[in-house]
Amino acid sequence: MFDILKRIDKPCDLRGLSNIELENLASEMREALFNRLTKIGGHFGPNFGIVEATIAMHYVFDSPKDKFVFDVSHQSYPHKMLTGRRNGYIDDAHFSEDSGYTNPDESEHDFFNVGHTSTSIALAAGLAKARDLKKSNENIIAVIGDGSLSGGEAMEALNIAGAMKSNFIIVVNDNEIAIAENHGGIYENLAHLRETAGKAENNLFKAYGLDYIYEENGNDIQKLIELFKKVKDIDHPIVVHIHTQKGKGYKYAEQNKEPWHWTAPFNRETGLPKVNFGGGESYSQMTIDFILEKAKKDKDFFVITPAMPGVIGMNKEIREQLKDQYVDVGIAEEAAVAVASGAAKNGAKPLLFTNMTFIQRAYDQISQDLCINNNPVTMVMNCSSFNILTDVTHLGIFGLPAFTNIPNLVVLAPSSAEEYKNMLSWSVEQREHPVMILMPGNQVTHREADIDYSEINKYKVEKKGSKTAIIALGDFYQRGEELFDAIKEKFSYEPTLINPRFASGVDKKLIQELEKDHELIITLEDGVVEGGFGQKIASYCGTRNIKVKNYGLEKIFYDRYNPEELLKEVGMTTEQIIEDLKCF
Amino acid sequence: MFDILKRIDKPCDLRGLSNIELENLASEMREALFNRLTKIGGHFGPNFGIVEATIAMHYVFDSPKDKFVFDVSHQSYPHKMLTGRRNGYIDDAHFSEDSGYTNPDESEHDFFNVGHTSTSIALAAGLAKARDLKKSNENIIAVIGDGSLSGGEAMEALNIAGAMKSNFIIVVNDNEIAIAENHGGIYENLAHLRETAGKAENNLFKAYGLDYIYEENGNDIQKLIELFKKVKDIDHPIVVHIHTQKGKGYKYAEQNKEPWHWTAPFNRETGLPKVNFGGGESYSQMTIDFILEKAKKDKDFFVITPAMPGVIGMNKEIREQLKDQYVDVGIAEEAAVAVASGAAKNGAKPLLFTNMTFIQRAYDQISQDLCINNNPVTMVMNCSSFNILTDVTHLGIFGLPAFTNIPNLVVLAPSSAEEYKNMLSWSVEQREHPVMILMPGNQVTHREADIDYSEINKYKVEKKGSKTAIIALGDFYQRGEELFDAIKEKFSYEPTLINPRFASGVDKKLIQELEKDHELIITLEDGVVEGGFGQKIASYCGTRNIKVKNYGLEKIFYDRYNPEELLKEVGMTTEQIIEDLKCF
């Protein structure tokens, strides 16, 4: 087991292997992938598809002198195995040593910590620029999947590459699918290129001024070695278009690519997940139910997503049911926001959804294309909680600072199922504001909620007390309830508990009321404190006769943390806050 | 004078004109442009080049039922003249009624308030989506210049358009130049298309899946009318590529396109500006001097800009002098940041510069591609002051909230020429942090400054006093000095005056010191208060025995304001702060 893989300590060890051994190595690497993924989950399809290409690339090029930049880097597991990190795959005790993405802290063969799409060509172009200034001569290789090509940053970089004059290799790993199906005109072009073995007229890459070469057998090690030898040390930029099979080597993944893009721990024989999620209520299902019902009743309503239907579990059947009321623009967050803004301007009712970490890509479009124009678009952001995605590249904890400081944008933070659903209903119908709704990241809870949110920045006093006011935002409202109970128990008085609902503004009138019989306001928010919700209140109270303590995360790129431990680290467990209260 | 133009109250009035009259109308429109631009300045080249195309578009299409979306919309003056707004051009008393961009508040013929590039296709695609949901049938026309095509959002939208199935017209107004020369592989493709009358192989637009038609004579009204008639009511997306002459009708602008992209008020006979700027010291010239000197001494150093060399006056001669130490990636802020990050990772010393409003486009790249990777890139942001660009689409006042809350990013706010230069020198040499330097927006002032800024978030106490501490950030430091003098005079004590230098963090040790003999901290910052600099201090002091008052702008999309009046409006003139001090 893993006999050959165990002999590969560094990429150049590959060159001592025979053709047969290289084939067997590929099998061992797939076994190693199974070993890790069945047990702890991770990206499946992208890694199973790129095993042979990774072997061939490391066989031909001389990493780390020659430099690989993997796009998203969710396909870098085989690369990790060949660059001294096989233990993260074959030895369960070492799983936690490897992140799911490239990581310079792990290895000199990794140059960037990445997790967002469409960045590889530009990052690699930067490596090449520095190489040229230093008059060095290594190969720079960007590896990008077809799905990532539709992102603006990738196309900006193709355009830049088209004007470069030195060695630069862009490997386009074309497996015919992003996470869900690909969307957009270029995918027809890629299909033509595949059908014609790279000879179709109107070659997208040539139109960008790039040299181009095609290989149909992107899972054939020897063909790929031959191919990469051809382009090694080339003196100009070239696109190497290889056709691979996503999920290759596992029938369930080959047949059903979308759910096998990423997998939870699963049973290899059956392909079924080891732990059965679902069953109970979820905010995702609530969102789907809302969308389906609304779409049926209102033909002006449509949903739009930049290639992320899965974040709310919107599977193919649901998408087909929605027909033209479902728009996937492909990986293209910027254009997605602009399309939604334009549609709202022309009378439609768009609901845009994706993960918080990805919508950062559209910061400027939210500000300019949407909010200056004040068009009524509803944006539903999943994974905006510290509690869901914990990889440094996928944190949702920067959403409050990023988006609550843009004028005109109403950021709503629901604290219960009823509030979430009522906010959705209110938002898609109103015509006054662009609205961002933060999908809760905690367990579903129930509590009666208002129907109308048109009085902007109006907080709701859920329990009226005195001395201390707890303003607990969104899915941290339950922590506010817990704190309420603890204060009552420890200090024998009832504080005030407030559900602010609006993350993007201060209820000044309420604060003025609180000042009369409260000494302290505590704010709790699910995100980084700096630039976020609570600091607005601290600033408003800066010269008032009421103290303010903001609780939240620090301005740090946390990575793969335990959520409950992190809360402790920043001192915001209920017990810690109770201790703090003794000192204020 | 303006006889024909005065008869055009709405676009359909064009249809009563003979061919000769249409030609004469074009001349009158250029006269109207001269009338406005010689007196109050504005975008020159883009408008002079598109007069004929605008006439032809409005002749053929039926605005506002048919909908035009102009990219950047700095070329929309002729459109404004033909849609009821000629007085803004021919009658000096009405100049201020028209913004320099499309504006739905001005006219039902304008759909979006835009000023950033590369948004038109996506916004128009949104209009088209809503049209299709409503089963309506108007024409949707995006008008985009060649320079804007390199922006990611535009290419994302080309890809989306390539998959659309209904009427959609993209007019590519190709005048062979952005503001400075175009950069990137697609411009070679556009050149081939021009040379072959649209018949070149590897047509970029066809590669995106779009239908395509070319017209060489983009300043010939009759040819254009014929062309637009062909595509009117088309049932699928098409690119209409027209070749126009930027600055047509004025020899200085035709011969020297870059400086005539935008002009200050000028003398028509000589082409010279009416007011001679320059002469005195400027932060722009300081930046140029620094770059030239550094580039000469250090071959690892280079500058990179997304198509904005002009923002620091980096003209062609200087660019040529810098050779391969100057990189213009075209309009592509996202890729520019990633390229800089990659280059820094590989040992180079990149200095990226543009305007603050445009770098918003790269929020996610600054966070992910740059700051997670903590690469030493220096970003110099011009126009980050409330005091320079006052159009709603070009405000620099959101820079503090946008960028001071991203981990690892050191945001420096220099308060004098010496400090600015020393920060530049320190930043490009250090290898620890990504750094953003806010180029001051006020008059150049001089004061001794530190050389080393490696002690992050260390504020500088410039004058030690008591009772009140003024923390005056960056180019508002001089306002701090003024306030210091006023407090001394009115209240007969000396406050403390602090130059924080670091906009992205709190000097906690200093605040703890201040707490001992101060009752109040006043923060002054050149930007929106919410999410910015001062709120970090207010939050830190929330439970301390020191009050904090944050002064700055409100979270509002201000538009074309008088800077001094705005300060008064938000209550932050020295006199107003002195009044406030009586109440705290």
Side-chain angles (χ1 to χ4, degrees), chain A residues 299-310:
Chain A
K299 288 301 164 198
D300 290 332
F301 173 82
F302 73 103
V303 292
I304 176 167
T305 185
M308 294 300 283

Side-chain angles (χ1 to χ4, degrees), chain A residues 11 15 58 60-68 108-111 127 131 134 136-141 167 232-233, chain B residues 346:
Chain A
R15 281 170 226 144
H58 276 300
V60 172
F61 295 102
D62 185 19
S63 176
K65 182 174 158 283
D66 293 332
K67 294 171 176 57
F68 292 104
E108 60 173 350
H109 297 273
D110 293 5
F111 297 91
L127 294 177
R131 174 201 60 195
K134 289 187 292 184
S136 173
N137 62 358
E138 68 267 23
N139 289 274
I140 307 287
I141 308 108
N167 170 284
K232 190 182 180 185
D233 298 325
Chain B
N346 207 8

Side-chain angles (χ1 to χ4, degrees), chain A residues 64-81:
Chain A
K65 182 174 158 283
D66 293 332
K67 294 171 176 57
F68 292 104
V69 183
F70 291 91
D71 207 88
V72 194
S73 73
H74 59 326
Q75 80 292 60
S76 64
Y77 300 5
H79 160 79
K80 291 194 177 198
M81 289 183 206

Side-chain angles (χ1 to χ4, degrees), chain A residues 338 342, chain B residues 69 112 119-129 140-142 164 168:
Chain B
V69 183
F112 303 100
T119 72
S120 60
I121 305 175
L123 288 169
L127 294 177
K129 176 66 192 171
I140 306 287
I141 308 109
M164 283 167 61
F168 194 59

Side-chain angles (χ1 to χ4, degrees), chain B residues 20-153:
Chain B
I20 298 284
E21 283 174 317
L22 289 174
E23 293 300 330
N24 290 339
L25 174 63
S27 302
E28 289 186 11
M29 288 167 72
R30 285 206 168 81
E31 284 304 312
L33 287 172
F34 274 121
N35 184 52
R36 181 177 171 115
L37 295 176
T38 53
K39 291 169 186 162
I40 63 165
H43 282 97
F44 191 101
N47 286 300
F48 272 74
I50 204 168
V51 169
E52 288 81 8
T54 308
I55 293 172
M57 287 190 291
H58 276 300
Y59 188 95
V60 173
F61 295 102
D62 184 19
S63 175
K65 182 174 158 284
D66 293 333
K67 294 172 176 58
F68 292 104
V69 183
F70 291 91
D71 207 88
V72 193
S73 73
H74 60 326
Q75 80 293 61
S76 64
Y77 300 5
H79 160 77
K80 291 193 178 198
M81 288 183 207
L82 300 181
T83 53
R85 286 168 282 180
R86 59 170 179 263
N87 283 342
Y89 300 84
I90 65 177
D91 183 347
D92 304 10
H94 289 270
F95 283 167
S96 66
E97 288 170 13
D98 289 318
S99 79
Y101 304 93
T102 54
N103 187 343
D105 293 337
E106 289 176 12
S107 166
E108 60 173 351
H109 297 273
D110 293 5
F111 297 90
F112 303 100
N113 211 325
V114 288
H116 285 197
T117 65
S118 314
T119 72
S120 60
I121 305 175
L123 288 169
L127 294 177
K129 176 66 192 171
R131 173 202 61 194
D132 294 347
L133 285 173
K134 289 188 293 183
K135 314 235 180 282
S136 174
N137 62 358
E138 68 268 23
N139 289 274
I140 306 287
I141 308 109
V143 181
I144 186 166
D146 47 318
S148 292
L149 281 178
S150 64
E153 187 178 354

